Amino acid sequence: AQSVAQPEDQVNVAEGNPLTVKCTYSVSGNPYLFWYVQYPNRGLQFLLKYITGDNLVKGSYGFEAEFNKSQTSFHLKKPSALVSDSALYFCAVRDGRTTYDKVIFGPGTSLSVIP
Amino acid sequence: DAGVTQSPTHLIKTRGQQVTLRCSPKSGHDTVSWYQQALGQGPQFIFQYYEEEERQRGNFPDRFSGHQFPNYSSELNVNALLLGDSALYLCASSSVPGQGIDEKLFFGSGTQLSVL
């Protein structure tokens, strides 16, 4: 079965600095990877996805993620953090090759951007 | 265009009771997945409904059951509630399975269930 890990429970970064939220995955075959963000008292919102192609994926709100097959990683990045980026971030993988297959989420990383 | 709507937003129950949570998918979507998110954890997949049938199921006991109606809305039922069932229950919708492996999930804001 596919799985994802997020090694950091908490990431703190100063406003204006680059941020990275880490994700590693364990899959058989080519992974279908996603990042979602959750603001307080809200559901999850889609940020970006990797299906195939370019290893650098661009998404919403200036976020991007880099797929690294050799390191089995899919780290989320942003060149300049905003206070409004403070939220919970979840890496996810689709457990299969169709949309019938469930999406499995990591444990989440809490991002705090300090003014 | 309404997104995914869930009701109620909050619910308080006591151990042993039964609860029903409701979800209306985003317009144009016909697949509904339910997730349980305990405090400080990631969402855990409960099950997925498509064409009024349960298509996939996660590692949850039979106390958790569901239903999908012809209009694609869905219900999650939990019987014999335990304290450990306290969590945020999220509904996610997506479009027709098999027509887009890259289809993203659209989530509702969830139902916060507290079991006392």
Side-chain angles (χ1 to χ4, degrees), chain A residues 32 36 38 43-44 46 49 51 90 94 97-103 106-107, chain B residues 35 37 42-43 45 48 56 90 97-98 100-105 107-109:
Chain A
Y32 299 137
Y36 285 79
Q38 185 177 33
L44 280 69
F46 171 83
K49 65 190 178 190
I51 306 300
F90 294 96
R94 187 173 292 282
R97 309 191 70 75
T98 77
T99 54
Y100 287 110
D101 297 302
K102 60 184 179 283
V103 176
Chain B
Y35 287 83
Q37 185 179 17
F45 177 79
Q48 178 194 77
Q56 286 258 1
L90 294 166
I101 184 60
D102 60 340
E103 284 294 332
K104 59 191 178 187
L105 296 173
F107 282 85
S109 296

PDB file of all heavy atoms in Angstrom, chain A residues 32 36 38 43-44 46 49 51 90 94 97-103 106-107, chain B residues 35 37 42-43 45 48 56 90 97-98 100-105 107-109:
ATOM      1  N   TYR A  32       1.161   9.224  -7.632  1.00  0.00           N
ATOM      2  CA  TYR A  32       0.321  10.393  -7.880  1.00  0.00           C
ATOM      3  C   TYR A  32       0.262  11.149  -6.560  1.00  0.00           C
ATOM      4  O   TYR A  32      -0.364  10.697  -5.616  1.00  0.00           O
ATOM      5  CB  TYR A  32      -1.068   9.976  -8.343  1.00  0.00           C
ATOM      6  CG  TYR A  32      -1.064   9.202  -9.637  1.00  0.00           C
ATOM      7  CD1 TYR A  32      -1.862   8.081  -9.807  1.00  0.00           C
ATOM      8  CD2 TYR A  32      -0.266   9.599 -10.698  1.00  0.00           C
ATOM      9  CE1 TYR A  32      -1.859   7.374 -10.994  1.00  0.00           C
ATOM     10  CE2 TYR A  32      -0.250   8.906 -11.882  1.00  0.00           C
ATOM     11  CZ  TYR A  32      -1.044   7.787 -12.037  1.00  0.00           C
ATOM     12  OH  TYR A  32      -1.039   7.095 -13.212  1.00  0.00           O
ATOM     13  N   TYR A  36      -2.197  19.478   0.082  1.00  0.00           N
ATOM     14  CA  TYR A  36      -3.411  20.176   0.502  1.00  0.00           C
ATOM     15  C   TYR A  36      -3.070  21.053   1.705  1.00  0.00           C
ATOM     16  O   TYR A  36      -2.155  20.744   2.479  1.00  0.00           O
ATOM     17  CB  TYR A  36      -4.508  19.184   0.904  1.00  0.00           C
ATOM     18  CG  TYR A  36      -5.187  18.492  -0.247  1.00  0.00           C
ATOM     19  CD1 TYR A  36      -4.589  17.415  -0.888  1.00  0.00           C
ATOM     20  CD2 TYR A  36      -6.435  18.924  -0.713  1.00  0.00           C
ATOM     21  CE1 TYR A  36      -5.213  16.772  -1.954  1.00  0.00           C
ATOM     22  CE2 TYR A  36      -7.069  18.292  -1.767  1.00  0.00           C
ATOM     23  CZ  TYR A  36      -6.451  17.218  -2.383  1.00  0.00           C
ATOM     24  OH  TYR A  36      -7.070  16.597  -3.440  1.00  0.00           O
ATOM     25  N   GLN A  38      -4.852  23.205   5.097  1.00  0.00           N
ATOM     26  CA  GLN A  38      -6.037  23.312   5.942  1.00  0.00           C
ATOM     27  C   GLN A  38      -5.888  24.507   6.870  1.00  0.00           C
ATOM     28  O   GLN A  38      -4.981  24.559   7.697  1.00  0.00           O
ATOM     29  CB  GLN A  38      -6.236  22.039   6.763  1.00  0.00           C
ATOM     30  CG  GLN A  38      -7.523  22.036   7.581  1.00  0.00           C
ATOM     31  CD  GLN A  38      -7.727  20.722   8.317  1.00  0.00           C
ATOM     32  OE1 GLN A  38      -6.787  20.076   8.741  1.00  0.00           O
ATOM     33  NE2 GLN A  38      -8.988  20.304   8.465  1.00  0.00           N
ATOM     34  N   GLY A  43     -12.159  22.828   5.903  1.00  0.00           N
ATOM     35  CA  GLY A  43     -11.739  21.598   5.232  1.00  0.00           C
ATOM     36  C   GLY A  43     -10.433  21.827   4.495  1.00  0.00           C
ATOM     37  O   GLY A  43      -9.865  22.919   4.508  1.00  0.00           O
ATOM     38  N   LEU A  44      -9.968  20.791   3.846  1.00  0.00           N
ATOM     39  CA  LEU A  44      -8.710  20.871   3.118  1.00  0.00           C
ATOM     40  C   LEU A  44      -8.918  21.511   1.750  1.00  0.00           C
ATOM     41  O   LEU A  44      -9.953  21.315   1.108  1.00  0.00           O
ATOM     42  CB  LEU A  44      -8.112  19.478   2.942  1.00  0.00           C
ATOM     43  CG  LEU A  44      -7.366  18.887   4.125  1.00  0.00           C
ATOM     44  CD1 LEU A  44      -8.307  18.553   5.271  1.00  0.00           C
ATOM     45  CD2 LEU A  44      -6.602  17.639   3.703  1.00  0.00           C
ATOM     46  N   PHE A  46      -7.007  22.044  -2.060  1.00  0.00           N
ATOM     47  CA  PHE A  46      -5.978  21.553  -2.975  1.00  0.00           C
ATOM     48  C   PHE A  46      -4.978  22.660  -3.290  1.00  0.00           C
ATOM     49  O   PHE A  46      -5.361  23.803  -3.558  1.00  0.00           O
ATOM     50  CB  PHE A  46      -6.660  21.072  -4.248  1.00  0.00           C
ATOM     51  CG  PHE A  46      -5.730  20.733  -5.365  1.00  0.00           C
ATOM     52  CD1 PHE A  46      -5.110  19.502  -5.428  1.00  0.00           C
ATOM     53  CD2 PHE A  46      -5.496  21.648  -6.382  1.00  0.00           C
ATOM     54  CE1 PHE A  46      -4.265  19.181  -6.484  1.00  0.00           C
ATOM     55  CE2 PHE A  46      -4.650  21.347  -7.438  1.00  0.00           C
ATOM     56  CZ  PHE A  46      -4.038  20.105  -7.490  1.00  0.00           C
ATOM     57  N   LYS A  49      -0.418  19.230  -7.549  1.00  0.00           N
ATOM     58  CA  LYS A  49      -0.351  17.791  -7.779  1.00  0.00           C
ATOM     59  C   LYS A  49       0.832  17.465  -8.677  1.00  0.00           C
ATOM     60  O   LYS A  49       1.286  18.293  -9.475  1.00  0.00           O
ATOM     61  CB  LYS A  49      -1.630  17.305  -8.451  1.00  0.00           C
ATOM     62  CG  LYS A  49      -1.807  17.886  -9.846  1.00  0.00           C
ATOM     63  CD  LYS A  49      -3.178  17.618 -10.422  1.00  0.00           C
ATOM     64  CE  LYS A  49      -3.297  18.273 -11.800  1.00  0.00           C
ATOM     65  NZ  LYS A  49      -4.674  18.266 -12.320  1.00  0.00           N
ATOM     66  N   ILE A  51       1.596  14.297 -11.302  1.00  0.00           N
ATOM     67  CA  ILE A  51       1.145  13.066 -11.943  1.00  0.00           C
ATOM     68  C   ILE A  51       2.258  12.487 -12.794  1.00  0.00           C
ATOM     69  O   ILE A  51       2.629  11.322 -12.675  1.00  0.00           O
ATOM     70  CB  ILE A  51      -0.117  13.309 -12.795  1.00  0.00           C
ATOM     71  CG1 ILE A  51      -1.211  13.973 -11.947  1.00  0.00           C
ATOM     72  CG2 ILE A  51      -0.624  12.010 -13.413  1.00  0.00           C
ATOM     73  CD1 ILE A  51      -1.649  13.163 -10.759  1.00  0.00           C
ATOM     74  N   PHE A  90      -0.771  19.159   4.308  1.00  0.00           N
ATOM     75  CA  PHE A  90      -0.831  17.703   4.196  1.00  0.00           C
ATOM     76  C   PHE A  90      -0.350  17.253   2.824  1.00  0.00           C
ATOM     77  O   PHE A  90      -0.833  17.730   1.793  1.00  0.00           O
ATOM     78  CB  PHE A  90      -2.267  17.199   4.394  1.00  0.00           C
ATOM     79  CG  PHE A  90      -2.803  17.426   5.777  1.00  0.00           C
ATOM     80  CD1 PHE A  90      -3.575  18.542   6.057  1.00  0.00           C
ATOM     81  CD2 PHE A  90      -2.530  16.526   6.792  1.00  0.00           C
ATOM     82  CE1 PHE A  90      -4.070  18.755   7.332  1.00  0.00           C
ATOM     83  CE2 PHE A  90      -3.022  16.739   8.073  1.00  0.00           C
ATOM     84  CZ  PHE A  90      -3.787  17.856   8.341  1.00  0.00           C
ATOM     85  N   ARG A  94      -2.250   9.063  -4.066  1.00  0.00           N
ATOM     86  CA  ARG A  94      -3.380   8.225  -4.468  1.00  0.00           C
ATOM     87  C   ARG A  94      -2.935   6.772  -4.464  1.00  0.00           C
ATOM     88  O   ARG A  94      -1.909   6.430  -5.048  1.00  0.00           O
ATOM     89  CB  ARG A  94      -3.886   8.621  -5.848  1.00  0.00           C
ATOM     90  CG  ARG A  94      -5.170   7.893  -6.224  1.00  0.00           C
ATOM     91  CD  ARG A  94      -5.771   8.404  -7.520  1.00  0.00           C
ATOM     92  NE  ARG A  94      -6.281   9.765  -7.436  1.00  0.00           N
ATOM     93  CZ  ARG A  94      -7.437  10.097  -6.880  1.00  0.00           C
ATOM     94  NH1 ARG A  94      -8.203   9.171  -6.340  1.00  0.00           N
ATOM     95  NH2 ARG A  94      -7.837  11.356  -6.870  1.00  0.00           N
ATOM     96  N   ARG A  97      -4.233   3.802  -9.433  1.00  0.00           N
ATOM     97  CA  ARG A  97      -4.055   4.512 -10.690  1.00  0.00           C
ATOM     98  C   ARG A  97      -5.354   5.053 -11.256  1.00  0.00           C
ATOM     99  O   ARG A  97      -5.397   5.501 -12.398  1.00  0.00           O
ATOM    100  CB  ARG A  97      -3.367   3.593 -11.695  1.00  0.00           C
ATOM    101  CG  ARG A  97      -2.102   2.960 -11.135  1.00  0.00           C
ATOM    102  CD  ARG A  97      -1.290   2.275 -12.215  1.00  0.00           C
ATOM    103  NE  ARG A  97      -0.682   3.236 -13.117  1.00  0.00           N
ATOM    104  CZ  ARG A  97       0.363   3.971 -12.819  1.00  0.00           C
ATOM    105  NH1 ARG A  97       0.921   3.875 -11.645  1.00  0.00           N
ATOM    106  NH2 ARG A  97       0.868   4.802 -13.713  1.00  0.00           N
ATOM    107  N   THR A  98      -6.414   5.004 -10.505  1.00  0.00           N
ATOM    108  CA  THR A  98      -7.671   5.601 -10.969  1.00  0.00           C
ATOM    109  C   THR A  98      -8.262   6.430  -9.838  1.00  0.00           C
ATOM    110  O   THR A  98      -7.846   6.321  -8.683  1.00  0.00           O
ATOM    111  CB  THR A  98      -8.710   4.541 -11.378  1.00  0.00           C
ATOM    112  OG1 THR A  98      -9.296   3.975 -10.189  1.00  0.00           O
ATOM    113  CG2 THR A  98      -8.074   3.443 -12.209  1.00  0.00           C
ATOM    114  N   THR A  99      -9.252   7.235 -10.185  1.00  0.00           N
ATOM    115  CA  THR A  99      -9.886   8.036  -9.136  1.00  0.00           C
ATOM    116  C   THR A  99     -10.821   7.200  -8.272  1.00  0.00           C
ATOM    117  O   THR A  99     -11.417   7.704  -7.330  1.00  0.00           O
ATOM    118  CB  THR A  99     -10.654   9.224  -9.731  1.00  0.00           C
ATOM    119  OG1 THR A  99     -11.561   8.745 -10.715  1.00  0.00           O
ATOM    120  CG2 THR A  99      -9.707  10.229 -10.356  1.00  0.00           C
ATOM    121  N   TYR A 100     -10.971   5.890  -8.602  1.00  0.00           N
ATOM    122  CA  TYR A 100     -11.637   4.993  -7.663  1.00  0.00           C
ATOM    123  C   TYR A 100     -10.795   4.790  -6.410  1.00  0.00           C
ATOM    124  O   TYR A 100     -11.305   4.462  -5.343  1.00  0.00           O
ATOM    125  CB  TYR A 100     -11.842   3.609  -8.288  1.00  0.00           C
ATOM    126  CG  TYR A 100     -12.910   3.515  -9.350  1.00  0.00           C
ATOM    127  CD1 TYR A 100     -12.568   3.312 -10.684  1.00  0.00           C
ATOM    128  CD2 TYR A 100     -14.254   3.608  -9.024  1.00  0.00           C
ATOM    129  CE1 TYR A 100     -13.542   3.206 -11.663  1.00  0.00           C
ATOM    130  CE2 TYR A 100     -15.236   3.494  -9.999  1.00  0.00           C
ATOM    131  CZ  TYR A 100     -14.876   3.288 -11.309  1.00  0.00           C
ATOM    132  OH  TYR A 100     -15.832   3.181 -12.272  1.00  0.00           O
ATOM    133  N   ASP A 101      -9.494   4.936  -6.582  1.00  0.00           N
ATOM    134  CA  ASP A 101      -8.579   4.586  -5.501  1.00  0.00           C
ATOM    135  C   ASP A 101      -8.486   5.711  -4.490  1.00  0.00           C
ATOM    136  O   ASP A 101      -8.414   6.877  -4.834  1.00  0.00           O
ATOM    137  CB  ASP A 101      -7.204   4.277  -6.069  1.00  0.00           C
ATOM    138  CG  ASP A 101      -7.249   3.079  -6.988  1.00  0.00           C
ATOM    139  OD1 ASP A 101      -7.677   2.006  -6.504  1.00  0.00           O
ATOM    140  OD2 ASP A 101      -6.891   3.219  -8.159  1.00  0.00           O
ATOM    141  N   LYS A 102      -8.428   5.332  -3.226  1.00  0.00           N
ATOM    142  CA  LYS A 102      -8.475   6.312  -2.159  1.00  0.00           C
ATOM    143  C   LYS A 102      -7.215   7.158  -2.129  1.00  0.00           C
ATOM    144  O   LYS A 102      -6.149   6.743  -2.572  1.00  0.00           O
ATOM    145  CB  LYS A 102      -8.669   5.629  -0.809  1.00  0.00           C
ATOM    146  CG  LYS A 102      -7.569   4.639  -0.423  1.00  0.00           C
ATOM    147  CD  LYS A 102      -7.924   3.975   0.884  1.00  0.00           C
ATOM    148  CE  LYS A 102      -6.877   2.970   1.307  1.00  0.00           C
ATOM    149  NZ  LYS A 102      -6.998   1.716   0.540  1.00  0.00           N
ATOM    150  N   VAL A 103      -7.376   8.364  -1.602  1.00  0.00           N
ATOM    151  CA  VAL A 103      -6.253   9.267  -1.380  1.00  0.00           C
ATOM    152  C   VAL A 103      -5.845   9.140   0.082  1.00  0.00           C
ATOM    153  O   VAL A 103      -6.679   9.271   0.986  1.00  0.00           O
ATOM    154  CB  VAL A 103      -6.622  10.711  -1.732  1.00  0.00           C
ATOM    155  CG1 VAL A 103      -5.476  11.653  -1.396  1.00  0.00           C
ATOM    156  CG2 VAL A 103      -6.971  10.819  -3.212  1.00  0.00           C
ATOM    157  N   GLY A 106      -0.811  12.245   4.707  1.00  0.00           N
ATOM    158  CA  GLY A 106       0.199  12.205   5.745  1.00  0.00           C
ATOM    159  C   GLY A 106      -0.315  12.825   7.028  1.00  0.00           C
ATOM    160  O   GLY A 106      -1.435  13.331   7.074  1.00  0.00           O
ATOM    161  N   PRO A 107       0.498  12.834   8.068  1.00  0.00           N
ATOM    162  CA  PRO A 107       0.056  13.326   9.378  1.00  0.00           C
ATOM    163  C   PRO A 107      -0.039  14.832   9.473  1.00  0.00           C
ATOM    164  O   PRO A 107      -0.618  15.359  10.422  1.00  0.00           O
ATOM    165  CB  PRO A 107       1.142  12.797  10.320  1.00  0.00           C
ATOM    166  CG  PRO A 107       2.347  12.659   9.459  1.00  0.00           C
ATOM    167  CD  PRO A 107       1.848  12.264   8.103  1.00  0.00           C
TER     168      PRO A 107
ATOM    169  N   TYR B  35     -13.789  11.100   5.411  1.00  0.00           N
ATOM    170  CA  TYR B  35     -12.554  11.003   6.162  1.00  0.00           C
ATOM    171  C   TYR B  35     -12.813  11.366   7.625  1.00  0.00           C
ATOM    172  O   TYR B  35     -13.659  12.216   7.926  1.00  0.00           O
ATOM    173  CB  TYR B  35     -11.488  11.958   5.609  1.00  0.00           C
ATOM    174  CG  TYR B  35     -10.897  11.542   4.292  1.00  0.00           C
ATOM    175  CD1 TYR B  35     -11.533  11.819   3.093  1.00  0.00           C
ATOM    176  CD2 TYR B  35      -9.674  10.875   4.249  1.00  0.00           C
ATOM    177  CE1 TYR B  35     -10.974  11.433   1.877  1.00  0.00           C
ATOM    178  CE2 TYR B  35      -9.104  10.490   3.046  1.00  0.00           C
ATOM    179  CZ  TYR B  35      -9.761  10.774   1.865  1.00  0.00           C
ATOM    180  OH  TYR B  35      -9.203  10.396   0.670  1.00  0.00           O
ATOM    181  N   GLN B  37     -10.782  12.952  10.857  1.00  0.00           N
ATOM    182  CA  GLN B  37      -9.558  13.651  11.229  1.00  0.00           C
ATOM    183  C   GLN B  37      -9.558  13.898  12.729  1.00  0.00           C
ATOM    184  O   GLN B  37     -10.252  14.791  13.227  1.00  0.00           O
ATOM    185  CB  GLN B  37      -9.418  14.974  10.476  1.00  0.00           C
ATOM    186  CG  GLN B  37      -8.092  15.662  10.743  1.00  0.00           C
ATOM    187  CD  GLN B  37      -7.933  16.967   9.988  1.00  0.00           C
ATOM    188  OE1 GLN B  37      -8.897  17.556   9.503  1.00  0.00           O
ATOM    189  NE2 GLN B  37      -6.705  17.429   9.849  1.00  0.00           N
ATOM    190  N   GLY B  42      -3.647  13.604  10.507  1.00  0.00           N
ATOM    191  CA  GLY B  42      -4.115  13.738   9.140  1.00  0.00           C
ATOM    192  C   GLY B  42      -5.432  13.013   8.938  1.00  0.00           C
ATOM    193  O   GLY B  42      -5.805  12.148   9.735  1.00  0.00           O
ATOM    194  N   PRO B  43      -6.154  13.373   7.903  1.00  0.00           N
ATOM    195  CA  PRO B  43      -7.426  12.686   7.612  1.00  0.00           C
ATOM    196  C   PRO B  43      -7.202  11.198   7.328  1.00  0.00           C
ATOM    197  O   PRO B  43      -6.283  10.837   6.596  1.00  0.00           O
ATOM    198  CB  PRO B  43      -7.935  13.407   6.368  1.00  0.00           C
ATOM    199  CG  PRO B  43      -7.221  14.715   6.351  1.00  0.00           C
ATOM    200  CD  PRO B  43      -5.883  14.456   6.944  1.00  0.00           C
ATOM    201  N   PHE B  45      -8.980   7.806   5.778  1.00  0.00           N
ATOM    202  CA  PHE B  45     -10.029   7.423   4.834  1.00  0.00           C
ATOM    203  C   PHE B  45     -10.982   6.420   5.472  1.00  0.00           C
ATOM    204  O   PHE B  45     -10.555   5.390   6.005  1.00  0.00           O
ATOM    205  CB  PHE B  45      -9.371   6.817   3.597  1.00  0.00           C
ATOM    206  CG  PHE B  45     -10.329   6.304   2.566  1.00  0.00           C
ATOM    207  CD1 PHE B  45     -10.968   7.166   1.698  1.00  0.00           C
ATOM    208  CD2 PHE B  45     -10.585   4.948   2.457  1.00  0.00           C
ATOM    209  CE1 PHE B  45     -11.839   6.696   0.734  1.00  0.00           C
ATOM    210  CE2 PHE B  45     -11.451   4.459   1.507  1.00  0.00           C
ATOM    211  CZ  PHE B  45     -12.084   5.332   0.636  1.00  0.00           C
ATOM    212  N   GLN B  48     -15.582   5.323   0.346  1.00  0.00           N
ATOM    213  CA  GLN B  48     -15.927   6.107  -0.841  1.00  0.00           C
ATOM    214  C   GLN B  48     -17.200   5.541  -1.454  1.00  0.00           C
ATOM    215  O   GLN B  48     -17.361   4.316  -1.532  1.00  0.00           O
ATOM    216  CB  GLN B  48     -14.797   6.045  -1.862  1.00  0.00           C
ATOM    217  CG  GLN B  48     -15.082   6.799  -3.151  1.00  0.00           C
ATOM    218  CD  GLN B  48     -14.096   6.434  -4.264  1.00  0.00           C
ATOM    219  OE1 GLN B  48     -14.206   5.377  -4.874  1.00  0.00           O
ATOM    220  NE2 GLN B  48     -13.141   7.315  -4.509  1.00  0.00           N
ATOM    221  N   GLN B  56     -14.758   1.709  -1.956  1.00  0.00           N
ATOM    222  CA  GLN B  56     -13.502   1.481  -1.254  1.00  0.00           C
ATOM    223  C   GLN B  56     -13.784   1.707   0.228  1.00  0.00           C
ATOM    224  O   GLN B  56     -14.640   2.513   0.591  1.00  0.00           O
ATOM    225  CB  GLN B  56     -12.441   2.493  -1.702  1.00  0.00           C
ATOM    226  CG  GLN B  56     -11.879   2.258  -3.065  1.00  0.00           C
ATOM    227  CD  GLN B  56     -10.502   1.606  -3.021  1.00  0.00           C
ATOM    228  OE1 GLN B  56      -9.959   1.313  -1.964  1.00  0.00           O
ATOM    229  NE2 GLN B  56      -9.936   1.374  -4.191  1.00  0.00           N
ATOM    230  N   LEU B  90     -14.810  14.730   7.649  1.00  0.00           N
ATOM    231  CA  LEU B  90     -14.731  15.484   6.409  1.00  0.00           C
ATOM    232  C   LEU B  90     -15.323  14.687   5.258  1.00  0.00           C
ATOM    233  O   LEU B  90     -15.096  13.482   5.135  1.00  0.00           O
ATOM    234  CB  LEU B  90     -13.278  15.817   6.083  1.00  0.00           C
ATOM    235  CG  LEU B  90     -12.573  16.764   7.052  1.00  0.00           C
ATOM    236  CD1 LEU B  90     -11.070  16.738   6.817  1.00  0.00           C
ATOM    237  CD2 LEU B  90     -13.098  18.184   6.895  1.00  0.00           C
ATOM    238  N   PRO B  97     -15.206   8.743 -11.495  1.00  0.00           N
ATOM    239  CA  PRO B  97     -13.986   7.947 -11.383  1.00  0.00           C
ATOM    240  C   PRO B  97     -13.528   7.446 -12.739  1.00  0.00           C
ATOM    241  O   PRO B  97     -14.324   7.130 -13.602  1.00  0.00           O
ATOM    242  CB  PRO B  97     -14.395   6.785 -10.490  1.00  0.00           C
ATOM    243  CG  PRO B  97     -15.532   7.289  -9.711  1.00  0.00           C
ATOM    244  CD  PRO B  97     -16.256   8.222 -10.643  1.00  0.00           C
ATOM    245  N   GLY B  98     -12.244   7.352 -12.865  1.00  0.00           N
ATOM    246  CA  GLY B  98     -11.673   6.805 -14.072  1.00  0.00           C
ATOM    247  C   GLY B  98     -11.503   7.818 -15.179  1.00  0.00           C
ATOM    248  O   GLY B  98     -10.891   7.521 -16.182  1.00  0.00           O
ATOM    249  N   GLY B 100     -10.042  10.814 -14.834  1.00  0.00           N
ATOM    250  CA  GLY B 100      -9.007  11.801 -14.544  1.00  0.00           C
ATOM    251  C   GLY B 100      -8.247  11.408 -13.303  1.00  0.00           C
ATOM    252  O   GLY B 100      -8.644  11.742 -12.203  1.00  0.00           O
ATOM    253  N   ILE B 101      -7.159  10.728 -13.498  1.00  0.00           N
ATOM    254  CA  ILE B 101      -6.367  10.289 -12.355  1.00  0.00           C
ATOM    255  C   ILE B 101      -5.881  11.475 -11.544  1.00  0.00           C
ATOM    256  O   ILE B 101      -5.608  11.364 -10.362  1.00  0.00           O
ATOM    257  CB  ILE B 101      -5.176   9.435 -12.822  1.00  0.00           C
ATOM    258  CG1 ILE B 101      -4.426   8.893 -11.626  1.00  0.00           C
ATOM    259  CG2 ILE B 101      -4.256  10.242 -13.726  1.00  0.00           C
ATOM    260  CD1 ILE B 101      -5.256   8.014 -10.722  1.00  0.00           C
ATOM    261  N   ASP B 102      -5.826  12.643 -12.190  1.00  0.00           N
ATOM    262  CA  ASP B 102      -5.328  13.807 -11.473  1.00  0.00           C
ATOM    263  C   ASP B 102      -6.450  14.607 -10.842  1.00  0.00           C
ATOM    264  O   ASP B 102      -6.244  15.719 -10.388  1.00  0.00           O
ATOM    265  CB  ASP B 102      -4.530  14.714 -12.413  1.00  0.00           C
ATOM    266  CG  ASP B 102      -5.373  15.212 -13.577  1.00  0.00           C
ATOM    267  OD1 ASP B 102      -6.416  14.595 -13.875  1.00  0.00           O
ATOM    268  OD2 ASP B 102      -4.978  16.228 -14.177  1.00  0.00           O
ATOM    269  N   GLU B 103      -7.639  14.034 -10.814  1.00  0.00           N
ATOM    270  CA  GLU B 103      -8.750  14.763 -10.234  1.00  0.00           C
ATOM    271  C   GLU B 103      -8.514  15.030  -8.756  1.00  0.00           C
ATOM    272  O   GLU B 103      -8.216  14.129  -7.986  1.00  0.00           O
ATOM    273  CB  GLU B 103     -10.047  13.964 -10.403  1.00  0.00           C
ATOM    274  CG  GLU B 103     -10.621  13.993 -11.800  1.00  0.00           C
ATOM    275  CD  GLU B 103     -11.088  15.378 -12.191  1.00  0.00           C
ATOM    276  OE1 GLU B 103     -11.470  16.154 -11.292  1.00  0.00           O
ATOM    277  OE2 GLU B 103     -11.057  15.692 -13.389  1.00  0.00           O
ATOM    278  N   LYS B 104      -8.648  16.292  -8.380  1.00  0.00           N
ATOM    279  CA  LYS B 104      -8.447  16.651  -6.993  1.00  0.00           C
ATOM    280  C   LYS B 104      -9.731  16.462  -6.209  1.00  0.00           C
ATOM    281  O   LYS B 104     -10.819  16.420  -6.769  1.00  0.00           O
ATOM    282  CB  LYS B 104      -7.973  18.096  -6.889  1.00  0.00           C
ATOM    283  CG  LYS B 104      -8.941  19.099  -7.502  1.00  0.00           C
ATOM    284  CD  LYS B 104      -8.287  20.464  -7.616  1.00  0.00           C
ATOM    285  CE  LYS B 104      -9.232  21.455  -8.270  1.00  0.00           C
ATOM    286  NZ  LYS B 104      -8.561  22.752  -8.540  1.00  0.00           N
ATOM    287  N   LEU B 105      -9.562  16.359  -4.916  1.00  0.00           N
ATOM    288  CA  LEU B 105     -10.698  16.269  -4.020  1.00  0.00           C
ATOM    289  C   LEU B 105     -11.116  17.662  -3.579  1.00  0.00           C
ATOM    290  O   LEU B 105     -10.278  18.510  -3.308  1.00  0.00           O
ATOM    291  CB  LEU B 105     -10.341  15.438  -2.786  1.00  0.00           C
ATOM    292  CG  LEU B 105      -9.991  13.969  -3.020  1.00  0.00           C
ATOM    293  CD1 LEU B 105      -9.495  13.334  -1.721  1.00  0.00           C
ATOM    294  CD2 LEU B 105     -11.176  13.206  -3.570  1.00  0.00           C
ATOM    295  N   PHE B 107     -13.150  19.435  -0.558  1.00  0.00           N
ATOM    296  CA  PHE B 107     -13.585  19.114   0.797  1.00  0.00           C
ATOM    297  C   PHE B 107     -14.617  20.097   1.312  1.00  0.00           C
ATOM    298  O   PHE B 107     -14.569  21.300   1.019  1.00  0.00           O
ATOM    299  CB  PHE B 107     -12.389  19.138   1.754  1.00  0.00           C
ATOM    300  CG  PHE B 107     -11.521  17.918   1.682  1.00  0.00           C
ATOM    301  CD1 PHE B 107     -10.521  17.824   0.731  1.00  0.00           C
ATOM    302  CD2 PHE B 107     -11.720  16.865   2.557  1.00  0.00           C
ATOM    303  CE1 PHE B 107      -9.716  16.701   0.659  1.00  0.00           C
ATOM    304  CE2 PHE B 107     -10.920  15.735   2.494  1.00  0.00           C
ATOM    305  CZ  PHE B 107      -9.920  15.655   1.541  1.00  0.00           C
ATOM    306  N   GLY B 108     -15.524  19.570   2.135  1.00  0.00           N
ATOM    307  CA  GLY B 108     -16.383  20.424   2.927  1.00  0.00           C
ATOM    308  C   GLY B 108     -15.643  20.885   4.166  1.00  0.00           C
ATOM    309  O   GLY B 108     -14.492  20.483   4.416  1.00  0.00           O
ATOM    310  N   SER B 109     -16.305  21.725   4.954  1.00  0.00           N
ATOM    311  CA  SER B 109     -15.675  22.257   6.174  1.00  0.00           C
ATOM    312  C   SER B 109     -15.737  21.281   7.333  1.00  0.00           C
ATOM    313  O   SER B 109     -15.105  21.504   8.369  1.00  0.00           O
ATOM    314  CB  SER B 109     -16.326  23.578   6.566  1.00  0.00           C
ATOM    315  OG  SER B 109     -16.084  24.549   5.567  1.00  0.00           O
TER     316      SER B 109
END
